[in-house]
Amino acid sequence: MKITPVYTAHAVATGGRNGTARIDENPLDITLARPPAMGGNGKGNNPEQLFAAGYAACFIGAMEHAPVVDKSLPKPPADSSIASSVGIGPREDGGFGLSVTLEV
């Protein structure tokens, strides 16, 4: 499936899980650190936290867009809130996988 993006975000990560990430548009510098559960000091954010926040916000965006496309759907409340959980761990068949839970 091909899409034509209307917006593309750009970020640069340096140093992996114990490094930094920077978003130049509306500047944002993020210190990255492994969480204690993964042997880190937890003195920074981690990719799973950032993914959880972004996924929750995007899902609310999808809920807001759906009634634009299908007028029979109700508009979500302006104060819609979604709790998002993103987990990471080893897969039985090797490598790592992600689990995502949304509470709408």
Side-chain angles (χ1 to χ4, degrees):
M1 172 173 50
K2 183 178 179 180
I3 67 165
T4 303
V6 295
Y7 171 77
T8 301
H10 300 276
V12 175
T14 304
R17 288 185 165 275
N18 289 313
T20 60
R22 177 166 178 77
I23 299 168
D24 288 329
E25 183 181 8
N26 299 316
L28 176 63
D29 287 301
I30 305 163
T31 298
L32 300 173
R34 281 193 173 119
M38 294 177 73
N41 64 17
K43 294 183 179 179
N45 294 101
N46 61 67
E48 292 74 31
Q49 291 170 325
L50 302 172
F51 180 41
Y55 195 24
C58 283
F59 197 89
I60 291 172
M63 290 187 338
E64 292 170 340
H65 183 69
V68 173
V69 176
D70 182 345
K71 304 289 187 218
S72 71
L73 295 172
K75 291 182 180 179
D79 63 347
S80 293
S81 178
I82 293 180
S84 176
S85 301
V86 174
I88 184 171
R91 293 170 35 122
E92 288 180 9
D93 58 352
F96 285 86
L98 295 176
S99 63
V100 177
T101 302
L102 297 178
E103 295 178 32
V104 182

